[in-house]
Amino acid sequence: PISSFVSGFGQFHSDRAGVNPRPYVTLDWQQFGDMLSTPPSVAKEAAQWVIFSELATRVADEQPSEGRFHALWCDIDDALGRTIAETAQLACDAVGGAQLVCYASRSATEENQKARIVIPLARLVGGADFEAMQKVLNDRLEANGLIPDRATERANQVAYLPNRGQLYAHAQLKGARLDACAVFAADLDAERQRLQAEELRQQEAREQSRLNAINRIS
């Protein structure tokens, strides 16, 4: 079966909007590839976006619990003088040589070649795993000298599709699809431990607050 993802147009497109609710559309890899090589040129208010999930929702707590994701992605808003091709290669190195596509953002210029990177996954992952993998991906990119936008660590964050602005370029790097569970195994284990430790700290803080309240009352 063809993998398809939830997609829409402009930042306010929602099937639950109070004003002008609209059903979502879908996007598949073939359509994505066509846009990569021949992007439209439209204002951001009308630009098409995607969430690489099969679940048709933008609701913040639904994608993490019910979403099924086909790709990781990232935004590089400050390219530090690098070209799209150079950014793509650094990202590829950060994910063990996995295949990826990298394309210029709508607001990219010759001086700052802002980029969006999409990394297809070898297998579907659930929303909670997707968020953990996004954090690991951004950590790895940072360690490789790139500056990722951490907003992509939210499962319902939309990724804008190729849209020609002042500068447009793209790079496709071949390779195997990323098996994030294997390539990121040690990083994911460390991230799970960090989340468990954070949850424990929060539980202890809540308990301490409860005891303090009891003491004040008595």
Side-chain angles (χ1 to χ4, degrees):
I2 295 173
S3 303
S4 62
F5 330 111
V6 59
S7 182
F9 297 86
Q11 69 182 101
F12 300 114
H13 186 162
S14 169
D15 61 351
R16 306 181 200 185
V19 178
N20 190 25
R22 289 177 290 160
Y24 295 116
V25 298
T26 58
L27 179 95
D28 61 35
W29 285 124
Q30 177 66 53
Q31 292 166 310
F32 177 73
D34 291 346
M35 290 183 79
L36 199 64
S37 51
T38 53
S41 181
V42 298
K44 189 166 183 181
E45 302 77 61
Q48 189 173 2
W49 51 258
V50 66
I51 297 173
F52 291 100
S53 168
E54 296 179 341
L55 186 69
T57 182
R58 290 181 65 180
V59 178
D61 56 359
E62 289 179 3
Q63 283 293 359
S65 58
E66 301 167 51
R68 285 155 54 83
F69 289 79
H70 288 265
L72 303 182
W73 68 286
C74 64
D75 268 342
I76 307 297
D77 290 330
D78 184 351
L80 302 175
R82 298 186 183 103
T83 64
I84 293 294
E86 289 166 342
T87 294
Q89 189 56 59
L90 280 175
C92 185
D93 294 343
V95 294
Q99 70 165 265
L100 58 78
V101 297
C102 177
Y103 56 93
S105 304
R106 166 80 176 168
S107 56
T109 62
E110 192 68 48
E111 297 74 35
N112 185 16
Q113 297 190 20
K114 298 181 182 185
R116 190 158 294 115
I117 299 164
V118 178
I119 306 162
L121 290 168
R123 59 189 66 132
L124 275 168
V125 298
D129 287 338
F130 170 81
E131 289 191 331
M133 289 171 180
Q134 284 287 122
K135 182 177 186 307
V136 168
L137 170 62
N138 284 335
D139 289 346
R140 282 174 161 242
L141 294 171
E142 213 166 80
N144 246 29
L146 296 170
I147 305 172
D149 180 350
R150 295 279 175 173
T152 63
E153 292 167 23
R154 298 192 295 268
N156 68 325
Q157 180 74 11
V158 302
Y160 280 93
L161 293 165
N163 184 11
R164 187 182 296 277
Q166 181 184 329
L167 170 134
Y168 183 77
H170 76 280
Q172 288 181 272
L173 300 187
K174 306 294 185 189
R177 285 194 171 199
L178 176 64
D179 184 347
C181 291
V183 175
F184 290 179
D187 310 71
L188 288 169
D189 192 44
E191 176 60 12
R192 276 190 281 271
Q193 290 179 18
R194 186 191 70 79
L195 289 171
Q196 287 168 356
E198 180 60 30
E199 175 61 25
L200 189 61
R201 272 196 299 274
Q202 289 178 0
Q203 285 176 359
E204 289 170 349
R206 285 193 294 270
E207 178 61 13
Q208 190 59 53
S209 294
R210 190 183 70 83
L211 293 174
N212 290 346
I214 290 170
N215 288 337
R216 281 197 301 275
I217 291 165
S218 62

